[in-house]
Amino acid sequence: MDSKSRKSTHASEETASSSDDDSPYDDSLEDVEQSWISWFCSLRGNEMFCEVEEEYIHDDFNLSGLSSSVPYYDYALDVILDIDRGNVSDLSEQQQELVESAAEMLYGLIHSRYILTHRGMSLMLEKYKQSHFGRCPRFLCANTPCLPVGTSDIFRTSTVKIFCPTCKDVYFPRSKYQGNTDGAYFGTTFPHLFLMSFGHLKVEKHSETKYEPKIFGFKVR
């Protein structure tokens, strides 16, 4: 997705028609471009992602080892940071599509590291409070808000799952769009470190949360 397709303009037809009158309002009409990170996180199915601060991405230490894992790494990084060096135009249309795909992959891998930081967890906490990650489908968990988790830290191994703090089990997200997200973009550590960091969110598992099968009122053993 190029920058032009992410632009939203505040100019209306009425304002455009008034340009002939040299209205002073004309000077304030500027295209407002959404950052790539904001655009990516606003896509349907990407509700689990938080916006990684650009300052974090600019620190090479935080990106250690990723250059060998992501194709078109330098191009992809420029896309994420909205840096236009003009060299992308030299690529073929197919290569540009690969760069955009690489940017999404790179952002996801950066995201998996960022959400383990204090700032990243704070952003994910706000999403958790609003149940952006979904709720446990298990009836006895009483709609407990869940957390995203990967069953592997290796890219393209498995899709993201949701972890329930009550039953401590993992489930597929209810949204088919979220279910296509790579689990490595959240990693195996996040939900457990998150609950350790915010201890007040831990849910104690009670014996009555276990379903007991019965036949005519008698427990089945």
Side-chain angles (χ1 to χ4, degrees):
M1 179 71 69
D2 57 26
S3 61
K4 290 184 179 179
S5 58
R6 287 187 276 118
K7 284 186 178 181
S8 60
T9 180
H10 293 295
S12 63
E13 293 182 0
E14 292 181 359
T15 307
S17 63
S18 65
S19 60
D20 295 334
D21 301 329
D22 296 327
S23 170
Y25 183 72
D26 294 342
D27 294 335
S28 64
L29 295 179
E30 296 181 357
D31 286 346
V32 178
E33 183 178 350
Q34 185 182 32
S35 71
W36 186 94
I37 294 176
S38 295
W39 166 80
F40 177 77
C41 292
S42 68
L43 292 177
R44 187 174 187 181
N46 287 354
E47 296 85 0
M48 291 186 179
F49 288 91
C50 69
E51 293 191 20
V52 179
E53 295 173 323
E54 290 191 7
E55 181 181 355
Y56 180 87
I57 300 176
H58 278 293
D59 190 334
D60 292 337
F61 177 78
N62 297 326
L63 311 185
S64 177
L66 294 181
S67 60
S68 60
S69 303
V70 180
Y72 295 100
Y73 175 83
D74 292 328
Y75 289 102
L77 188 59
D78 285 348
V79 169
I80 292 174
L81 296 175
D82 296 305
I83 298 175
D84 185 8
R85 301 184 192 276
N87 52 1
V88 178
S89 58
D90 297 332
L91 301 176
S92 67
E93 183 176 347
Q94 182 180 11
Q95 287 177 316
Q96 291 182 28
E97 292 178 356
L98 292 174
V99 167
E100 188 65 33
S101 178
E104 295 179 6
M105 175 184 177
L106 178 58
Y107 183 80
L109 296 177
I110 294 173
H111 181 269
S112 68
R113 299 180 177 188
Y114 181 69
I115 58 177
L116 299 182
T117 67
H118 177 72
R119 176 56 181 162
M121 284 195 182
S122 297
L123 294 177
M124 296 296 272
L125 175 61
E126 294 306 312
K127 286 181 167 289
Y128 176 76
K129 290 179 178 178
Q130 299 177 45
S131 300
H132 282 188
F133 310 126
R135 296 177 180 274
C136 183
R138 184 172 177 268
F139 171 72
L140 294 175
C141 287
N143 286 324
T144 299
C146 292
L147 292 161
V149 65
T151 54
S152 173
D153 293 313
I154 301 175
F155 180 65
R156 288 178 181 168
T157 300
S158 63
T159 56
V160 68
K161 308 298 185 296
I162 54 174
F163 171 80
C164 174
T166 298
C167 63
K168 295 178 172 55
D169 209 343
V170 294
Y171 302 89
F172 288 100
R174 291 185 179 180
S175 169
K176 64 179 181 180
Y177 300 99
Q178 293 177 341
N180 294 326
T181 303
D182 199 288
Y185 296 163
F186 299 90
T188 58
T189 298
F190 169 69
H192 317 298
L193 184 59
F194 179 88
L195 292 172
M196 287 181 61
S197 301
F198 302 105
H200 63 285
L201 297 177
K202 284 188 177 180
V203 181
E204 296 296 331
K205 188 174 182 179
H206 303 290
S207 58
E208 60 267 22
T209 61
K210 183 178 179 180
Y211 173 73
E212 295 183 346
K214 297 180 181 180
I215 297 178
F216 299 122
F218 296 96
K219 295 180 181 179
V220 178
R221 299 187 181 279

